[in-house]
Amino acid sequence: MREFSADYLTETRRGMWRDRDALADLRLSDRSRILDVGAGTGEFARVLAAESSAPVVALDADTTLLGHTADGAAHRVAGDATRLPVRDDACDLVACQALLINLPEPAAAVEEFARVSSELVAVIEPDNSAVTVASTVAAESALSARAREFYVDGVHTDVTLGADAADVLANAGLRDVSTTRHEHVRVTEPPYDDGDLDAAARKATADRLADQRPELAAGGLADSAYDELRAAWREMGRDVVAQMQAGEYVRRETVPFYVTVGRLPDDDTA
């Protein structure tokens, strides 16, 4: 499984659940016990706990990340998504957010979800190939799209899973599988917070691009092309910093994500 820092997870999921209508199909008010698999720093667990009176169990293989979930889950469990340390039918909802896209074998995880759920399985997954960026810095949109193209081709998991998660649930034996598309829109604008300022600094140094170099190379970006992209990225970052200093920088990133829900075959509730 791919690994991420607590700061990265917090930043990329910021504001995702301001509109919680996307969770309607999870029927959270009816739940009696919820398992959040791949809980990370607990943002999704906190939403599940806020929208339901059921206890929420946060599970993740990374115990460091689990340390951030104390205020969002009744229990924390260290464990592998493909070998859940949970008995059969222990929860009536097993859910995950942006987990399957980071697993080499997402089907193995969904089969485990179906084993430990007595009623519903829900997966919330993006299509990272369809992310769009609009920015007041003219070069940022094109550079982001170019880097994303090579990254998506080079990463070893399916980060475009999104709408196709329905097939994974159906193949695991779940029925009445439904998928709804939503958008996570993240806007950077004045007044800027510490996260915004840190992101701008990382653009100016191209640190994030450097972190992704192995995937970019695997996706076909040659060394000379990477050097050109990095130089253009750093110039773009300096423009971002300058616009921020003038209070003029605005960036809008739109990430399409899909909420896919399936029901266990032996559950005959409406």
Side-chain angles (χ1 to χ4, degrees):
M1 179 178 173
R2 297 164 63 211
E3 297 181 356
F4 302 95
S5 69
D7 288 344
Y8 174 85
L9 292 178
T10 300
E11 172 59 24
T12 55
R13 298 178 182 188
R14 180 175 58 172
M16 182 170 179
W17 297 114
R18 288 194 184 99
D19 179 2
R20 298 183 181 180
D21 290 345
L23 298 174
D25 289 344
L26 278 62
R27 301 189 347 237
L28 291 174
S29 62
D30 298 335
R31 301 297 114 220
S32 61
R33 192 172 185 85
I34 300 171
L35 176 64
D36 176 16
V37 183
T41 51
E43 284 83 359
F44 190 41
R46 283 186 278 275
V47 171
L48 294 172
E51 296 298 312
S52 172
S53 59
V56 177
V57 178
L59 183 145
D60 202 284
D62 189 326
T63 55
T64 299
L65 294 179
L66 276 178
H68 294 262
T69 66
D71 61 343
H75 305 284
R76 289 172 288 170
V77 177
D80 186 329
T82 62
R83 296 185 298 274
L84 294 173
V86 181
R87 65 174 173 80
D88 294 1
D89 303 326
C91 305
D92 59 356
L93 171 63
V94 178
C96 70
Q97 175 182 322
L99 171 69
L100 301 186
I101 60 167
N102 296 310
L103 296 178
E105 298 180 9
V110 173
E111 289 170 1
E112 276 289 271
F113 295 0
R115 176 183 67 80
V116 305
S117 177
S118 63
E119 186 176 344
L120 293 182
V121 169
V123 301
I124 293 91
E125 300 293 335
D127 177 357
N128 285 319
S129 67
V131 176
T132 59
V133 173
S135 172
T136 52
V137 172
E140 186 168 12
S141 296
L143 289 174
S144 296
R146 178 169 170 76
R148 185 175 304 105
E149 177 183 356
F150 286 103
Y151 179 83
V152 167
D153 287 344
V155 73
H156 64 277
T157 62
D158 185 2
V159 295
T160 71
L161 186 63
D164 296 331
D167 294 335
V168 182
L169 267 65
N171 290 339
L174 295 161
R175 68 181 187 183
D176 301 333
V177 178
S178 64
T179 298
T180 54
R181 183 186 186 278
H182 305 273
E183 292 183 346
H184 176 200
V185 179
R186 293 189 297 161
V187 179
T188 303
E189 61 187 350
Y192 309 113
D193 60 24
D194 289 343
D196 297 333
L197 297 174
D198 181 65
R202 286 175 63 81
K203 286 184 175 75
T205 58
D207 283 354
R208 177 79 182 280
L209 200 67
D211 291 343
Q212 295 179 344
R213 186 168 187 178
E215 289 81 11
L216 296 173
L221 188 66
D223 288 346
S224 59
Y226 169 80
D227 290 340
E228 293 174 1
L229 178 62
R230 185 170 182 268
W233 198 277
R234 293 178 68 183
E235 181 178 354
M236 176 267 290
R238 289 191 289 270
D239 289 342
V240 169
V241 171
Q243 284 196 12
M244 275 191 164
Q245 290 172 340
E248 299 172 349
Y249 178 66
V250 178
R251 180 183 190 271
R252 182 183 179 91
E253 179 182 70
T254 302
V255 182
F257 71 95
Y258 298 80
V259 178
T260 302
V261 180
R263 191 156 56 91
L264 271 295
D266 58 349
D267 173 43
D268 293 323
T269 60

